[in-house]
Amino acid sequence: MPIAKRDGMIRISRIAHGVLACLLLASGGGPAVATQKLAAGRDAMYAIRGGDVLMLDERGALLARCARFSASPKLDRHPPIGMPDPSETLRLAGLPDDDSTLAAEEALEDEAPSRPRRQAGDAAPAPLPRALAPDDDGVWIATSEGLYRGGTAGCRRIALPGRDLVAVATDGTAVVTATRGWLFRGRLEAPESLTFGPPIALAGMPRALAVDRQGGVLIAGDGGLLRVGAEGETALLLDRPTEALAACGPTVLVLSDDGVVLWDGRSVTRVAARPPVKDVSCSGSPQGWVAGGVGVWSSMDAVAWTEHPEGLGLDVSAVAVLAGVPWVVAGGELAPLQPQPGLPSAAWADPEAFPARRDRTRAPPAWRLPLVTASLLVDLTPLRRTVTGMVLFTFPWGRAPGHGADASEVAWQELQRDAALSRAQVALSQAEREAVP
């Protein structure tokens, strides 16, 4: 290839690389970082996105960011310092340059480096946030390097430096956090002052923590639901794998592998089959929950669950409720789900505020024509040939809805009946337990 053509191609390639670099810088340098965790406090919402902890207001505007969790840029590396010159080492020790005695060998060994020198660019990695526990004034953050406190003024470490924490919870008077094998319970004596008692050993890795009204700590994990009392006593409340916890008022909701379980401080009760959800949050009302997974679901009593039309088709990984509006993380993106027009935002936790969807109704059709089904069966064998035909006429019976009637009324009545039967079953089981001496 001629030199001129080759130089021209090199020049064009450099221009193309420059344009590509400008486009990457204009777009932020790469793909957007997805949101992993979400939790709501009294006046703010907190989210873990990549290595950052974000504080948002009720409109989703950024109030503060914990920059301490962002990876710091590496410093320029410098070439390492080599082995010292043996002759210079012997002269400094007061020995001849060609000395081969034991004293010379010891002097050379003393000056030899025992381990590789630390490079300037090998700085300690930034703490990795893993879990959030908001309260009225800020948020507690469990990280790979200890327990941090976050707020509008930023984030700073409060306790347990060097501990790889995986979960955290608070009730306003106590803060509990856990590693893969230990539980730490701290008493909140001041806004940012914790006094920890002796750690408690755990058999498995906790998935979630919660503090009940009696001061006990609920620990969800693959081994079941474990409760550690205020005096340190332990009890296994549920021997089924549990995934998520949400305290709302005096009740803690538990998502187990086979249903929805409630803990009221005295007993655990399975109240309903588990909807297709993996994260649950208190709705902010005296008692009520909003859950996310395959869609968005809500319930006032954890017995009857309602799927909301706004969440249809979403794969929700995290959910939280701030100022009566649910916020969800779907596909790594954070977005609010507004209620239906004409309904207040607090109605999100009320299943009776949302009628049954028309495309899921089981009401009889309004027309009275029969349903015709035809089938034809041909049986061919070496000895015979059989052809069978059948026509089935299905006539709908019962009262048809009148003109202009809501076709979802029948389906909604059936949902109310199912919810009433579930409540009666729960009340009957509780009465049977109380009757047993």
Side-chain angles (χ1 to χ4, degrees), residues 278-279 291-296 311 314-319 327-331 337:
K278 50 191 172 183
D279 188 39
V294 182
V296 181
L314 296 180
D315 183 9
V316 179
S317 59
V319 62
W327 288 75
V328 300
V329 176
L337 292 183

Side-chain angles (χ1 to χ4, degrees), residues 83-84 86 89-90 101-114:
M83 293 284 294
T89 301
L90 293 176
T101 62
L102 181 61
E105 294 181 1
E106 291 178 351
L108 293 175
E109 289 179 358
D110 291 340
E111 290 297 324
S114 59

Side-chain angles (χ1 to χ4, degrees), residues 30-393:
V33 180
T35 303
Q36 295 93 12
K37 300 289 185 178
L38 192 63
R42 181 181 61 181
D43 300 321
M45 182 168 53
Y46 306 91
I48 296 178
R49 173 170 292 183
D52 297 336
V53 174
L54 310 180
M55 180 177 179
L56 312 171
D57 63 8
E58 60 184 12
R59 300 171 301 171
L62 182 63
L63 297 176
R65 178 195 302 267
C66 290
R68 182 182 296 271
F69 301 114
S70 301
S72 57
K74 291 187 177 182
L75 302 177
D76 295 335
R77 293 179 178 268
H78 298 283
I81 300 176
M83 293 284 294
D85 182 73
S87 301
E88 182 67 18
T89 301
L90 293 176
R91 284 196 297 269
L92 292 176
L95 300 172
D97 296 347
D98 57 348
D99 195 347
S100 60
T101 62
L102 181 61
E105 294 181 1
E106 291 178 351
L108 293 175
E109 289 179 358
D110 291 340
E111 290 297 324
S114 59
R115 61 178 181 271
R117 296 176 180 270
R118 183 178 177 181
Q119 302 298 325
D122 296 336
L128 179 64
R130 301 189 188 278
L132 304 171
D135 55 19
D136 292 341
D137 302 320
V139 62
W140 297 97
I141 310 168
T143 76
S144 60
E145 292 294 333
L147 182 64
Y148 281 71
R149 176 70 173 171
T152 54
C155 299
R156 68 185 187 93
R157 187 165 57 196
I158 300 297
L160 305 176
R163 297 281 186 172
D164 187 5
L165 305 177
V166 297
V168 64
T170 182
D171 64 347
T173 61
V175 178
V176 293
T177 184
T179 64
R180 297 178 182 271
W182 296 95
L183 175 69
F184 300 88
R185 178 162 46 188
R187 182 178 300 276
L188 192 59
E189 299 178 350
E192 294 186 357
S193 176
L194 284 175
T195 302
F196 284 93
I200 300 173
L202 301 177
M205 177 178 173
R207 291 188 177 183
L209 300 176
V211 183
D212 60 19
R213 279 294 180 88
Q214 292 74 28
V217 182
L218 299 180
I219 307 168
D222 293 337
L225 180 64
L226 181 68
R227 183 179 186 270
V228 180
E231 302 299 328
E233 67 278 9
T234 61
L236 184 63
L237 303 180
L238 188 66
D239 60 354
R240 307 286 303 181
T242 54
E243 184 176 1
L245 304 173
C248 201
T251 308
V252 180
L253 184 144
V254 183
L255 288 182
S256 70
D257 65 340
D258 67 338
V260 179
V261 178
L262 293 183
W263 165 255
D264 59 2
R266 297 176 300 174
S267 61
V268 291
T269 306
R270 185 184 184 277
V271 296
R274 176 174 171 174
V277 296
K278 50 191 172 183
D279 188 39
V280 63
S281 174
C282 182
S283 65
S285 57
Q287 183 170 333
W289 293 272
V290 175
V294 182
V296 181
W297 302 71
S298 68
S299 177
M300 288 293 291
D301 53 9
V303 177
W305 290 86
T306 301
E307 184 180 9
H308 298 291
E310 288 79 5
L312 292 177
L314 296 180
D315 183 9
V316 179
S317 59
V319 62
V321 181
L322 179 62
V325 177
W327 288 75
V328 300
V329 176
E333 296 296 331
L334 176 64
L337 292 183
Q338 298 294 338
Q340 291 181 347
L343 293 177
S345 58
W348 266 90
D350 186 2
E352 297 185 356
F354 286 84
R357 298 183 64 242
R358 293 180 179 270
D359 57 353
R360 296 188 179 182
T361 63
R362 290 174 286 178
W367 47 271
R368 310 304 300 167
L369 295 177
L371 179 64
V372 181
T373 303
S375 65
L376 182 64
L377 177 62
V378 179
D379 186 10
L380 299 178
T381 66
L383 300 179
R384 65 175 181 174
R385 178 180 300 175
T386 304
V387 179
T388 303
M390 182 182 65
V391 179
L392 176 64
F393 294 88

